[in-house]
Amino acid sequence: MKKYKSILLIVLLFSIQLKAQDDLTNMKKYWFYHYRLVNDFLAKGDKQGESEPMGQRALGASNSSTAKWGDQTICLAQYISVLATEYKLLHDRSQPTDTTVQELYYALRAFNRLDYTAETNTSYCTDANSLNGFFMRDDVSYNFLINHPKLAQGVTSGRIVNIVKSDYLAHLNTGDRGDEMSQDQVMHLMGAFALVRTCIPLGVSYKINGISQPLNVADPNADIYQEAINITDRIISYIKNSSWIIYIPHTAVNTKVYQGSDAYYIAYGFAEAANYIKWGSSSNLIYFPVVHRYSNPNYQDALSETSCVTPLPFTWMMNGQNAINFIHDDYKRDLIATVGDSWYTHSLIISTVKPVQIISFIKLDWRHPLKLFTEITTAFVNALELPKPVTLSEVSSKVKGINPYNYYHFPLLYQALHGNNAFNYISPNTYTSLLNLAPPCGPYNYSYPNNSSTYEWTADSRVYDAEDRGKGTTDSYGEYNGLDYMLYYNLYHLAADNIIQPTVPTVNYMDRVITIPFPTTDNPPFGTATNPANLIAFNTITASNIANSNSVVTYRAGSSIVLKPGFTAKSGSVFHAYIQPTDPSTCGEYINTNNRSSTPDYTRQTTFVNYPKSASTEYAYSSEVTTPTNDNKNNEVSKNTTSATSVNTQNAPETMQTVSGILVNPNPNNGTFQLMVTHKNQSIGVKEIKVYDMMNNIVWSIGSAEDAVFNIDISGYKPGIYYVRSVNTLGEVEMKKLIKQ
């Protein structure tokens, strides 16, 4: 029996070790996908066509030179969804979010640009530019790749593209009306704005020189959370005000958009989704004659309420004619129902009044009109098959139903927006297996299975076109942007918080912040001569930690390493910092893109990518061009000092503040102690104080305060070493070790 227990323990430990390696691999893969996205599939910025994700690179064949922007607002919605969930994961783990916020700012600006300029770029419209909720799908012009040679050349792809295929260009060249908005574009955007509303706190904005930047040309709002609500309001109000039909504005005769114009059949779902984005709480209120999920259902009207109880089939509308129901439509209905937490299915009809209800009418007391009205109303409402809240069980069963397309992200999306536990219905292993199967250099398909990703990642989008897995035509072949993997990764890890114990912490591999001391207290310790600490970042490393005398630590970053006040490499430690240039022939630190069947080597510490933190438009006349220099290749800094040093290849040295002080009494302690932050031996107010455990998890924190003395209680945590980090009102940073007995 002891022998079998030992074998079982070994198997358990081995499986935990494998899961830890999978988690680390997938996290690094996520950040490489992000790097690949912003270098090979979009040009970050605010000019025409910028911050709009390309769907396919090298469209049709591996030697193709065509880049495709098709249904781009769907790609943009997925991009916004990824950034919103990425922000929450990073913010909740005290990781840098500045670049994520910047990308989200430009993505929202891109959508507002498509809204503002839609009138002057749409057939039949005689109106001037207007920010009114009517939008076009993209504005990528024929010379976009000429103006963006880096995007055309590619960084990780190895496939040069110089031909643009976009809905905007097709409209200009042939009069094709495929660049007009449609209801399916709106559905995807509702999912994106719901995640922004849920994951981004009020007050987050993109700042330049400390000044918040407005998110559109028509009003000064800079708050990202509020802008998601504002855009939703513009879109849904525009459709609602036209009786839930999407028309082109200011046409001589009301002209419907070419595709997906009749939103009446799903108006109830649209209104409930918009109500969630605006109000964010459910109440299950009955407003005769239907049930509303939200305490203020102001996007509903008589038409939308009628649509949920009218037995009309949902049909795809094209050029005013009923056409075949696409497989996509199940996806779209499920998406809008999940966002609004309410069904809007059209099988809801007024049922036959039951005899018992007719009898109840006879027994009514006609002498009391108010009571009579209440009882008749109740009987009538009970006779309806009303829309009902969506349950996570129903969402999960649909994605596992007959002929499933395995849209397993829906339960995760439901949990992110409305709570509950998706893993009660779909196993976590389902998600980890999907993540493990994603190719290290990004998804692609040029003929399954001989020249493609693994089956699960052979569609242009695993969260939208899953029915195309393992199939494909020349029009669907290409390298794909990877937003599907990124969204799955983020939603899975948001769902896993507090439910599944992660085996590795979430780390921003673009821009890393290091606060824990070396060696660590792990068993065996990390950061010693026998187990050295090699920490990497695609872009920057910012460190304010301590390298003790027996530590061996190496930092390697693609752009800059900043050693902030509080960083100490004690005498006897071995500390190195390297700036290493980009090698465009490799997938970051991973593998050669020309040999996609290779196994990635995630332990190599030699090659790094340069992740662009600033918007670089590559226009010759642009004042925003920022070209990081790598003149000091393999630049090394070795420190055995307590002073702060900045190594920065982008000529942006950080101003180092005078080190402040932290007084802790008592220390060691039992988890309750008093703390004072000082400057020149005098108490001073703080911008924030955070207490970390050895895994860099925050166990106690406080924001801006003027208190002289703080009473801190971490007695509920296990004994060991902790670290307190303070930022005083002067911006000075200090760290101090705590010992909880």
Side-chain angles (χ1 to χ4, degrees):
M1 181 62 70
K2 288 183 179 180
K3 176 182 178 182
Y4 291 126
K5 286 183 177 179
S6 299
I7 294 174
L8 181 62
L9 179 60
I10 292 171
V11 171
L12 178 62
L13 291 174
F14 181 68
S15 51
I16 292 174
Q17 184 179 11
L18 286 179
K19 184 180 186 305
Q21 183 59 41
D22 286 343
D23 287 349
L24 180 61
T25 296
N26 287 327
M27 180 173 63
K28 288 185 174 183
K29 184 162 55 179
Y30 174 90
W31 288 109
F32 179 73
Y33 271 46
H34 198 152
Y35 156 77
R36 172 181 177 267
L37 174 73
V38 297
N39 282 282
D40 285 4
F41 288 87
L42 65 84
K44 183 167 60 175
D46 202 22
K47 292 183 174 63
Q48 181 176 341
E50 292 179 340
S51 287
E52 299 176 32
M54 180 195 306
Q56 290 153 267
R57 187 180 182 94
L59 171 70
S62 59
N63 61 350
S64 167
S65 57
T66 299
K68 180 182 179 182
W69 284 263
D71 280 336
Q72 191 281 139
T73 39
I74 294 179
C75 289
L76 182 60
Q78 291 186 26
Y79 183 37
I80 292 170
S81 299
V82 165
L83 294 173
T85 49
E86 178 181 291
Y87 176 91
K88 182 167 177 57
L89 283 173
L90 294 176
H91 178 266
D92 290 353
R93 290 154 178 80
S94 299
Q95 292 289 304
T97 59
D98 55 335
T99 306
T100 305
V101 170
Q102 183 204 51
E103 286 185 55
L104 192 49
Y105 162 81
Y106 280 120
L108 292 174
R109 290 274 300 185
F111 176 80
N112 283 334
R113 184 177 68 241
L114 297 176
D115 183 334
Y116 184 70
T117 61
E119 282 77 11
T120 54
N121 287 288
T122 303
S123 299
Y124 311 121
C125 183
T126 59
D127 196 16
N129 288 339
S130 176
L131 198 67
N132 58 4
F134 177 77
F135 61 89
M136 56 184 180
R137 304 187 187 197
D138 74 81
D139 60 355
V140 183
S141 63
Y142 74 94
N143 60 351
F144 187 73
L145 293 171
I146 297 173
N147 290 332
H148 297 81
K150 177 184 172 185
L151 179 63
Q153 183 71 30
V155 175
T156 69
S157 170
R159 293 184 169 97
I160 299 173
V161 290
N162 51 38
I163 299 173
V164 170
K165 182 176 183 180
S166 70
D167 293 330
Y168 173 77
L169 195 57
H171 172 69
L172 289 182
N173 290 342
T174 66
D176 180 274
R177 294 176 55 198
D179 200 30
E180 299 163 359
M181 69 179 286
S182 67
Q183 56 177 290
D184 60 323
Q185 313 287 317
V186 175
M187 292 178 194
H188 287 271
L189 289 165
M190 292 299 99
F193 298 141
L195 284 170
V196 172
R197 194 238 187 270
T198 302
C199 297
I200 308 293
L202 188 66
V204 175
S205 63
Y206 173 58
K207 298 178 180 179
I208 298 177
N209 297 326
I211 300 174
S212 295
Q213 301 299 300
L215 284 155
N216 62 64
V217 299
D219 69 63
N221 176 58
D223 189 284
I224 290 174
Y225 171 102
Q226 185 60 49
E227 192 66 17
I229 297 174
N230 293 349
I231 295 174
T232 300
D233 180 72
R234 288 196 293 269
I235 295 173
I236 299 302
S237 295
Y238 180 80
I239 302 173
K240 175 183 174 182
N241 291 339
S242 299
S243 300
W244 300 98
I245 304 295
I246 306 175
Y247 292 107
I248 299 173
H250 295 272
T251 48
V253 178
N254 281 343
T255 302
K256 296 180 180 180
V257 294
Y258 186 65
Q259 302 177 71
S261 60
D262 290 20
Y264 165 74
Y265 304 105
I266 50 170
Y268 181 83
F270 271 145
E272 290 297 83
N275 284 330
Y276 169 77
I277 294 169
K278 187 165 185 177
W279 306 109
S281 61
S282 58
S283 302
N284 283 332
L285 300 180
I286 295 181
Y287 283 74
F288 183 83
V290 297
V291 174
H292 294 291
R293 294 287 287 132
Y294 303 100
S295 57
N296 192 336
N298 68 337
Y299 289 106
Q300 296 287 3
D301 62 10
L303 281 174
S304 65
E305 291 170 346
T306 304
S307 75
C308 77
V309 293
T310 302
L312 295 174
F314 177 75
T315 56
W316 183 261
M317 303 297 293
M318 181 175 291
N319 202 20
Q321 301 297 320
N322 289 344
I324 190 170
N325 281 321
F326 290 149
I327 297 171
H328 287 22
D329 290 342
D330 286 337
Y331 169 91
K332 290 179 243 178
R333 287 195 294 267
D334 292 347
L335 172 60
I336 209 72
T338 300
V339 172
D341 193 18
S342 178
W343 289 124
Y344 59 90
T345 175
H346 303 95
S347 64
L348 298 172
I349 60 174
I350 300 176
S351 60
T352 303
V353 178
K354 300 176 178 61
V356 67
Q357 293 169 332
I358 297 175
I359 294 172
S360 69
F361 288 161
I362 299 174
K363 296 178 180 179
L364 294 177
D365 187 349
W366 298 88
R367 294 169 299 176
H368 297 84
L370 181 61
K371 180 180 179 183
L372 173 65
F373 175 79
T374 302
E375 291 180 341
I376 291 177
T377 300
T378 302
F380 182 73
V381 169
N382 289 338
L384 298 177
E385 294 183 37
L386 298 172
K388 61 183 185 298
V390 176
T391 67
L392 183 56
S393 174
E394 290 169 320
V395 172
S396 302
S397 65
K398 289 203 75 176
V399 302
K400 296 188 297 184
I402 300 173
N403 298 321
Y405 296 107
N406 306 129
Y407 289 121
Y408 291 130
H409 65 293
F410 276 135
L412 300 179
L413 176 63
Y414 184 95
Q415 181 177 335
L417 299 179
H418 308 296
N420 214 317
N421 181 1
F423 302 136
N424 286 337
Y425 305 97
I426 295 181
S427 166
N429 292 336
T430 298
Y431 296 109
T432 55
S433 296
L434 276 175
L435 297 176
N436 293 346
L437 288 170
C441 278
Y444 68 103
N445 183 15
Y446 288 110
S447 179
Y448 177 79
N450 298 321
N451 186 14
S452 70
S453 310
T454 52
Y455 170 78
E456 291 292 352
W457 303 99
T458 51
D460 62 330
S461 176
R462 179 66 179 74
V463 300
Y464 177 57
D465 282 334
E467 64 270 20
D468 286 344
R469 288 169 298 169
K471 301 177 184 177
T473 62
T474 54
D475 191 51
S476 64
Y477 286 156
E479 292 184 329
Y480 308 133
N481 57 35
L483 285 165
D484 47 1
Y485 169 84
M486 298 173 71
L487 185 57
Y488 260 94
Y489 180 92
N490 288 346
L491 288 174
Y492 168 74
H493 283 277
L494 286 177
D497 280 2
N498 304 317
I499 296 175
I500 300 174
Q501 184 64 37
T503 54
V504 295
T506 297
V507 173
N508 186 336
Y509 264 73
M510 294 299 182
D511 301 292
R512 297 189 71 168
V513 173
I514 302 169
T515 58
I516 60 173
F518 295 106
T520 67
T521 58
D522 299 321
N523 187 18
F526 181 55
T528 63
T530 56
N531 188 23
N534 294 302
L535 292 103
I536 66 171
F538 290 164
N539 190 45
T540 67
I541 290 177
T542 303
S544 57
N545 64 314
I546 298 172
N548 288 303
S549 57
N550 59 337
S551 63
V552 178
V553 181
T554 301
Y555 296 162
R556 301 174 186 266
S559 175
S560 68
I561 296 173
V562 178
L563 308 179
K564 301 209 40 150
F567 175 83
T568 304
K570 293 186 176 180
S571 178
S573 65
V574 178
F575 173 73
H576 299 276
Y578 295 95
I579 306 299
Q580 298 209 300
T582 301
D583 183 350
S585 67
T586 65
C587 285
E589 59 163 328
Y590 310 124
I591 63 174
N592 191 301
T593 54
N594 295 323
N595 187 7
R596 292 181 178 273
S597 62
S598 299
T599 301
D601 181 1
Y602 289 106
T603 62
R604 288 174 54 196
Q605 305 290 326
T606 57
T607 305
F608 296 81
V609 296
N610 198 341
Y611 176 68
K613 291 193 69 173
S614 59
S616 177
T617 65
E618 299 177 271
Y619 281 98
Y621 57 82
S622 172
S623 61
E624 298 177 355
V625 174
T626 303
T627 307
T629 60
N630 286 313
D631 297 333
N632 42 350
K633 294 182 179 181
N634 298 317
N635 179 28
E636 177 182 348
V637 177
S638 300
K639 299 295 296 181
N640 287 288
T641 178
T642 59
S643 63
T645 303
S646 172
V647 182
N648 194 322
T649 63
Q650 291 184 300
N651 301 316
E654 180 119 349
T655 300
M656 296 303 171
Q657 305 285 351
T658 304
V659 177
S660 63
I662 297 178
L663 300 179
V664 176
N665 183 39
N667 192 21
N669 54 66
N670 63 359
T672 59
F673 55 91
Q674 291 186 323
L675 182 148
M676 177 187 292
V677 177
T678 64
H679 172 72
K680 295 183 178 179
N681 298 320
Q682 300 293 321
S683 66
I684 187 173
V686 299
K687 292 182 177 179
E688 66 175 27
I689 299 175
K690 294 180 180 179
V691 179
Y692 299 84
D693 63 16
M694 289 298 293
M695 292 300 293
N696 205 28
N697 298 312
I698 300 173
V699 299
W700 188 94
S701 66
I702 191 171
S704 178
E706 296 296 328
D707 297 358
V709 178
F710 297 87
N711 294 304
I712 298 178
D713 185 355
I714 57 170
S715 57
Y717 293 89
K718 64 183 180 180
I721 296 176
Y722 294 79
Y723 290 85
V724 59
R725 180 181 185 272
S726 70
V727 181
N728 69 21
T729 52
L730 298 177
E732 298 170 343
V733 181
E734 178 65 308
M735 292 193 66
K736 193 174 188 70
K737 181 168 70 174
L738 307 173
I739 299 176
K740 181 181 181 299
Q741 296 177 330

